[in-house]
Each structure stands twice: as C-alpha cells, then as structure tokens.
Amino acid sequence: MVEKIVVLGSNGQIGTELVTALRKVYGELNVVACDIRRPDYDIKNSGPFEFVNVLEKDTLNSIFQKYKPTQVYLLAALLSATGEQNPKLAWDLNMNGLLNILDLAITYQTAKVYWPSSIAVFGPNSPKDNTPQYCVMDPNTVYGISKLAGERWCEYYHQKYNLDVRSIRYPGLISWKAAPGGGTTDYAIHIFHDALKKGTYASFLNAATELPMMYMDDAIRGTIELMDADASKITIRSSYNFAGVSFTPEILAAEIRKHIPEFTLTYTENDPRQNIADSWPRSIDDSFAIDEWAWKPEYDLSKLTIDMIKNLKK
Ligand code: SER
C-alpha cells in the first residue's frame, strides 16, 4: 500500500525535521506538509504544502477529502511557556485540534494517527527520578493539563473506536534546524546559539535544574519507529515515556566548554519557567518503549553537543 501522510504543524521545531525524514522514507509527493504559517524553503520545495488551521473543521475536512491520508501527524500546539501566556488559546488549540483530528480519522478511516505528548503531563507530586509510566500525574501548566487530557482521549478513541493512535511523551528536544517553540526546555538550544555568537549565555533556569532532554535525530527516529511498529506490540495508547539524556544547565555548560573553553554561563532570576521546570521530572523510566518497540537513543550529552556545535557553526 502506498502511504499518504499529512503532517499538521509542519513548520515547527519537530515538524520541520519530521517532514524531511518522512519524505525520505515515503517519497516527497506522499508527505503533505500543513501549517498556518508560510513554510521554509526546504519544506515548500520538496513536496506538497497546504495552509491549514487545525481549528477550522471545514479546511481540515477538505484536506482529508483531497489526500485520503493513511497516516496523520498532529504537531500543532502551544507549548508550556507560551501556553501560560494564553491559557485559553492553549487549551482550545491543543484540545480541539486533537479532537478534530481524531474524529476525522474515524470518518475517513485513517490507518494511523500520531500525536505527541510531553513530560509536562507530570507534576509536583509525580516521582522526580526515573519517573515511571504509571504514577501520580498532577500537571500544573495548561500545556501539561491539555497533554494529559489528550492522552486520555487518545486511549479512549482507541478503546471505543479501535483507532490506531500512537503517542510519545517527548522530553525537551534539542535541535539546530528550526527555532524552538516556546517551551521551558528551550534554554538548552539558546545556550548553543549564544555560546557560538557571544561566548556567554544567561540561563532562565538555575544551575541545578535537571530535566530530561533528547537530541532531535533520536526523537524523529523514535517517532517513525513507533509508527512502523506492529500494532500488536503497542500496548500503550495514551502515550509512551521516552528518554534520552538528563542534565542541568551547569552540566551542559561544562560540556560546551570542552569545545569553547572561554564560554561563560550566568543565570537570570524569577523567570516563570523555573517554576514549570521544578514541577517536572529529572529523569524518565522508558522501559515500556524499550521492551515493546525496541527504543534505544543514540545521542548522549557529548555526542549531541558535538553535533549541535558542528552544525550551528556552518
Ligand atoms: N519542550 C517542551 C516544553 O518545554 C516540553 O514538552 O514545553
């Protein structure tokens, strides 16, 4: 069967790289990039693009009608930090965008749906270290609340309508191709840009704030591996814990100094993102992903640092 894939939110940090990866696997013409914003040169020139707002049901319907996708990836969302600036919009976009897609996937019998969740589903009372798949979850950001509710909807549509919906709880994603999208973990990208441009960076998270992170190459590969896995292996239809590497700003700065010895790190105070970070896990137990679909990250801190510096220098 020829796969026809629609990616909604294709111009964001994940979408930019996922569209390119999917076009390599499934053919350029078979992956339709969709966003409300104008795409960058690579996305526009390597395959079809459509302007789509995931809150506009009629437009979405016409996209399903036109392309009859076998797979849909819904990436359009407001992240943790921007979500706090506009909670109602974050809830509307993150929740109703998902429900629109789940309903259309039933109507058009889409074979598989992918929707990302996040470590933001955990909260202050979740275990901080090696946070398990199943535990207390009391997110206190609108982003985290929408992701946790979205996970429940995904499982519900799977159980009730047999929809093959798959999801991963991404940690902070580190990449150099597209700008990060307004999250709490964005410091781990800004730090590389400023280290190279200015030799110094002012972190909005404090020195000891440890968070789960992952290099984008791993995240994209893991996502496609989950979508390729045999449906019988997927026992979790809410969202899988997913881990790469955990570190603090201080540890990341020390790693960057191995390549840029004069690099200095300072800290800003009273940034609202600190409270968000303090409510999240330090590290994640992803044994279900390892056991069920053979997940294995390739990038540790040293390898991702080398790759970030090499590519940003260009
Ligand atoms: N990187 C995201 C954020 O910080 C977490 O999913 O909001």
Side-chain angles (χ1 to χ4, degrees):
M1 185 182 61
V2 177
E3 297 281 350
K4 201 72 181 171
I5 301 178
V6 164
V7 180
L8 298 146
S10 60
N11 299 359
Q13 191 199 357
I14 301 173
T16 305
E17 303 209 26
L18 186 65
V19 166
T20 308
L22 289 170
R23 282 182 176 163
K24 272 195 197 122
V25 179
Y26 295 105
E28 296 184 333
L29 297 178
N30 293 323
V31 180
V32 186
C34 306
D35 206 290
I36 48 169
R37 291 168 295 175
R38 203 171 288 285
D40 74 7
Y41 183 84
D42 285 353
I43 299 279
K44 187 156 177 279
N45 287 281
S46 66
F49 174 83
E50 302 269 5
F51 281 103
V52 179
N53 177 343
V54 296
L55 294 176
E56 283 170 11
K57 281 189 196 172
D58 290 346
T59 321
L60 273 180
N61 192 68
S62 64
I63 292 291
F64 274 74
Q65 181 102 45
K66 180 170 170 187
Y67 294 103
K68 308 260 173 351
T70 57
Q71 295 186 34
V72 173
Y73 292 72
L74 170 59
L75 306 174
L78 239 58
L79 296 193
S80 60
T82 38
E84 290 312 290
Q85 285 154 24
N86 201 337
K88 294 281 161 54
L89 174 65
W91 176 256
D92 189 28
L93 174 63
N94 296 0
M95 219 61 273
N96 291 318
L98 173 62
L99 290 172
N100 287 345
I101 297 304
L102 294 176
D103 284 336
L104 284 166
I106 303 288
T107 306
Y108 286 90
Q109 301 182 327
T110 307
K112 288 181 210 171
V113 174
Y114 179 81
W115 175 80
S117 185
S118 161
I119 52 165
V121 292
F122 298 110
N125 291 293
S126 309
K128 292 260 177 242
D129 296 301
N130 263 319
T131 306
Q133 178 73 35
Y134 299 105
C135 60
V136 171
M137 297 166 94
D138 55 349
N140 55 14
T141 61
V142 69
Y143 175 66
I145 297 169
S146 70
K147 287 294 177 186
L148 183 53
E151 288 189 5
R152 304 318 305 149
W153 277 115
C154 287
E155 191 183 283
Y156 183 87
Y157 271 70
H158 176 71
Q159 284 174 354
K160 191 142 184 175
Y161 308 112
N162 206 22
L163 181 66
D164 188 346
V165 50
R166 307 177 182 201
S167 176
I168 282 172
R169 291 173 180 156
Y170 290 129
L173 298 180
I174 299 174
S175 64
W176 54 271
K177 276 192 191 132
T184 301
T185 56
D186 290 7
Y187 91 86
I189 298 172
H190 300 318
I191 194 172
F192 284 100
H193 287 268
D194 280 12
L196 284 163
K197 254 191 290 181
K198 307 181 195 159
T200 184
Y201 176 68
S203 170
F204 57 78
L205 297 185
N206 66 35
T209 307
E210 183 177 353
L211 287 171
M213 302 278 185
M214 183 181 287
Y215 202 45
M216 186 64 86
D217 296 48
D218 273 340
I220 298 291
R221 183 175 52 81
T223 302
I224 294 177
E225 284 173 7
L226 170 64
M227 289 299 273
D228 278 349
D230 196 278
S232 63
K233 295 206 172 128
I234 313 293
T235 67
I236 293 176
R237 297 297 183 158
S238 50
S239 189
Y240 279 93
N241 273 12
F242 193 53
V245 51
S246 283
F247 53 77
T248 65
E250 197 172 31
I251 291 171
L252 177 55
E255 194 63 37
I256 291 173
R257 258 179 232 119
K258 291 181 185 166
H259 308 273
I260 309 169
E262 64 285 4
F263 173 62
T264 54
L265 182 62
T266 60
Y267 299 94
T268 57
E269 266 167 41
N270 301 324
D271 190 290
R273 288 167 286 191
Q274 183 66 51
N275 287 336
I276 299 178
D278 289 341
S279 76
W280 286 355
R282 285 186 283 261
S283 59
I284 297 287
D285 173 359
D286 61 350
S287 38
F288 281 92
I290 295 168
D291 294 347
E292 295 185 1
W293 43 279
W295 165 241
K296 194 173 186 299
E298 278 174 9
Y299 284 82
D300 59 13
L301 180 57
S302 146
K303 200 171 164 193
L304 77 81
T305 303
I306 291 170
D307 210 63
M308 280 296 280
I309 292 176
K310 185 184 84 194
N311 283 294
L312 287 177
K313 263 191 183 162
K314 291 181 194 158

